[in-house]
Amino acid sequence: MKTVNAFAAHAAGESLNKMQYELPELDGEHVDIKVHYCGLCHSDLSMINNDWGMSQYPLVPGHEIVGEVQAVGSDVKNLKVGDKVGMGWNSASCMHCNQCMDGKQHLCNTVESTIVGRHGGFADVVRGHWSWVTPLPDGIELSKAGPLFCGGITVFSPIVLSNVSPMDKVGVIGIGGLGHLAVKFLNAWGCEVTAFSSNASKKESILEMGAHQVVNSKYPEALKRIAGSLDFILNTTNVSLDWDAYLTTLAPQGKLHTVGAVLEPMAIPAFSMISGEKSVGGSPLGSVALTRKMLEFCVRHDIYPTVETFKMDAVNDALKHLEEGNARYRVVLEA
């Protein structure tokens, strides 16, 4: 048995408090990670508040984990004690279904989420199956790598899934924790990037991230001016918007792809898609292999989230900072 020190919410919406719990003896397939850093994601807030109706308490949030391997089971592959590693939203999958066998483990019907029904990374130790514990490439900045395991792969995967070309003109809706990484990725991909933001005060920083223009989405006329010009739009927001207005900005055969967890049904007029052979899609995170490729891409192009760092024991201050919309642009907890 191993004693873990963590921060947990004991009921929906409550502040986090210190908690200890015991991990059973390590089995052959699992790895214990000593946590050095853990990103704070809006999904952590959603789980603390039970916004999605699947939280179990006490709940230890944290799924953007960076640390080092502390212990390995006898059947673990490709990892050893002392390796620097990361783990994201998922911590295990069945490894025998068609999706797992096809390298799409994130689509496994029984995939284990790091903070759903188990304890996550707001702790000194977290456990995961070896296949989901990803070795970090040489030269990566540990203090900024955590958010890449959720926010990063969430916006990187659609670029690959949608076959976005370096010649494409693309748009990103919502320049927050997800959107700012999407802008950086798409700029490095070679695209002409339009950022949609309703916060005029962010304009200069968004341009510095790599956007070529910023369109204020509060004004319908601004959207009309770029009608028919974009090949791909990535939505990173979790609120209902005028989706038809965004579809109008797409060129023929353009695609609107959402990774934002919009809880209300999205009103998509059929003729807005039919007339230009446009499509609407969505995706969760990405495969283990694509996560590794993304990390290599980040090191090659020096792409990291813009982060603010809090000590782990100031986690409630960090949660308040995020909940009030003040994060610029990702929050990382230092163990």
Side-chain angles (χ1 to χ4, degrees):
M1 301 286 283
K2 177 178 291 187
T3 300
V4 178
N5 299 294
F7 288 88
H10 289 268
E14 283 194 357
S15 297
L16 273 57
N17 293 293
K18 289 183 178 180
M19 183 184 81
Q20 286 189 333
Y21 63 92
E22 302 292 330
L23 283 174
E25 292 301 317
L26 192 66
D27 68 18
E29 296 269 324
H30 282 75
V31 173
D32 283 342
I33 304 168
K34 180 181 179 181
V35 178
H36 290 336
Y37 299 94
C38 188
L40 173 54
C41 176
H42 205 279
S43 298
D44 292 309
L45 273 177
S46 295
M47 288 295 293
I48 291 169
N49 296 329
N50 198 22
D51 291 340
W52 300 332
M54 60 183 182
S55 301
Q56 299 175 38
Y57 301 94
L59 169 71
V60 178
H63 59 276
E64 298 181 339
I65 300 153
V66 167
E68 66 180 276
V69 175
Q70 188 179 70
V72 298
S74 58
D75 298 320
V76 167
K77 310 292 192 300
N78 198 38
L79 292 170
K80 64 183 184 301
V81 172
D83 284 350
K84 300 297 189 297
V85 295
M87 189 171 75
W89 179 258
N90 297 321
S91 52
S93 52
C94 77
M95 303 304 289
H96 62 77
C97 68
N98 286 342
Q99 287 73 32
C100 285
M101 291 295 95
D102 196 32
K104 301 184 178 79
Q105 300 93 337
H106 62 298
L107 300 180
C108 174
N109 286 332
T110 59
V111 67
E112 176 185 271
S113 298
T114 301
I115 60 172
V116 180
R118 66 189 299 285
H119 295 320
F122 291 2
D124 54 5
V125 176
V126 68
R127 180 170 291 177
H129 190 272
W130 67 265
S131 61
W132 283 94
V133 178
T134 301
L136 297 176
D138 291 341
I140 199 166
E141 290 190 42
L142 294 183
S143 63
K144 296 180 180 180
L148 297 173
F149 282 88
C150 179
I153 188 60
T154 295
V155 297
F156 189 83
S157 181
I159 300 171
V160 177
L161 284 174
S162 300
N163 295 312
V164 174
S165 160
M167 289 82 74
D168 284 347
K169 296 181 179 180
V170 301
V172 179
I173 305 173
I175 314 302
L178 293 175
H180 91 289
L181 277 168
V183 167
K184 293 181 180 186
F185 283 141
L186 288 163
N187 176 280
W189 208 260
C191 300
E192 181 182 305
V193 185
T194 295
F196 296 101
S197 176
S198 59
N199 188 339
S201 68
K202 290 183 179 180
K203 181 176 180 179
E204 290 307 315
S205 64
I206 293 171
L207 292 172
E208 289 173 4
M209 291 170 196
H212 296 88
Q213 66 172 331
V214 180
V215 173
N216 193 322
S217 51
K218 284 183 177 179
Y219 303 109
E221 289 301 319
L223 297 180
K224 290 179 181 177
R225 281 196 292 272
I226 59 168
S229 65
L230 302 178
D231 302 294
F232 174 77
I233 298 174
L234 182 63
N235 171 55
T236 70
T237 67
N238 61 357
V239 296
S240 291
L241 299 172
D242 183 354
W243 303 114
D244 191 34
Y246 287 100
L247 286 171
T248 301
T249 68
L250 286 173
Q253 298 187 323
K255 182 174 185 179
L256 171 64
H257 191 102
T258 187
V259 295
V262 184
L263 296 181
E264 299 83 11
M266 296 174 68
I268 306 293
F271 278 108
S272 293
M273 293 189 294
I274 292 171
S275 60
E277 295 183 8
K278 300 171 186 178
S279 61
V280 176
S283 60
L285 291 92
S287 71
V288 176
L290 188 59
T291 299
R292 293 180 180 182
K293 288 290 186 184
M294 175 205 64
L295 294 172
E296 294 171 5
F297 187 82
C298 289
V299 172
R300 186 181 309 149
H301 294 282
D302 196 28
I303 295 173
Y304 293 98
T306 301
V307 303
E308 298 173 294
T309 304
F310 289 72
K311 294 293 185 182
M312 186 71 77
D313 59 9
V315 61
N316 288 308
D317 294 333
L319 284 165
K320 182 179 179 183
H321 185 68
L322 175 62
E323 194 164 23
E324 291 177 348
N326 296 322
R328 296 293 183 271
Y329 283 85
R330 298 292 287 195
V331 174
V332 171
L333 300 175
E334 181 180 5

